[in-house]
């Protein structure tokens, strides 16, 4: 049974930083591509970043230079370091584990960027 548990969200001031974690169980973590999506109120879920089993990374334009995705295969955990946060980064952030076209989702963690 695949389980992804996100943590690290909360209230952050504009310009601040936060690190999200996603702990995986029930999968052979090292062979999965991992990613982060987000969904703001009233908007569709959108891709933020991905990291392959070989640790190649991809970022969408609106987070390039601000967010960093990484993984620790020994801990079955993927991270999203978010810097220079903006109010428009406010969303529920979801972790996803992908293998052979099958997506497994976490429950999400809220990140609110506000003063």
């Amino acid at each position: 049974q695949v389980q992804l548990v996100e943590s690290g969200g909360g209230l952050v001031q504009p310009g601040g930083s936060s690190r999200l974690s996603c702990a995986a169980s029930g999968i052979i973590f090292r062979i999965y591509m991992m990613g982060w999506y987000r969904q703001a109120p009233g908007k569709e879920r959108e891709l933020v970043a991905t990291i392959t089993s070989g640790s190649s990374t991809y970022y969408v334009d609106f987070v390039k230079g601000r967010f960093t995705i990484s993984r620790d295969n020994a801990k079955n955990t993927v991270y999203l370091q978010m810097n220079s946060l903006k109010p428009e980064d406010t969303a529920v952030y979801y972790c996803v584990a992908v293998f052979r076209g099958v997506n497994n989702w976490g429950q999400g963690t809220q990140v609110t960027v506000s003063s």
Side-chain angles (χ1 to χ4, degrees):
Q1 177 179 348
V2 180
Q3 189 171 19
L4 302 173
V5 180
E6 299 100 332
S7 60
L11 177 63
V12 185
Q13 290 194 339
S17 297
S18 183
R19 189 176 81 156
L20 306 182
S21 300
C22 171
S25 60
I27 60 173
I28 305 173
F29 180 81
R30 59 181 171 80
I31 69 174
Y32 274 68
M33 184 174 77
M34 301 298 296
W36 290 94
Y37 281 70
R38 71 185 188 186
Q39 187 167 19
K43 295 187 177 182
E44 293 187 353
R45 192 173 297 190
E46 60 184 0
L47 175 66
V48 175
T50 61
I51 184 166
T52 68
S53 58
S55 294
S56 294
T57 58
Y58 170 80
Y59 301 93
V60 295
D61 285 347
F62 55 76
V63 304
K64 281 182 181 177
R66 299 191 300 126
F67 291 9
T68 302
I69 189 171
S70 61
R71 64 191 297 158
D72 185 337
N73 289 342
K75 296 182 178 179
N76 286 2
T77 301
V78 62
Y79 304 96
L80 186 68
Q81 176 67 44
M82 304 184 294
N83 299 327
S84 303
L85 283 162
K86 306 174 182 180
E88 51 264 42
D89 293 317
T90 295
V92 177
Y93 284 72
Y94 296 91
C95 172
V96 63
V98 184
F99 185 67
R100 292 184 177 176
V102 177
N103 293 351
N104 298 281
W105 295 93
Q107 83 288 351
T109 186
Q110 176 71 46
V111 174
T112 302
V113 184
S114 175
S115 55

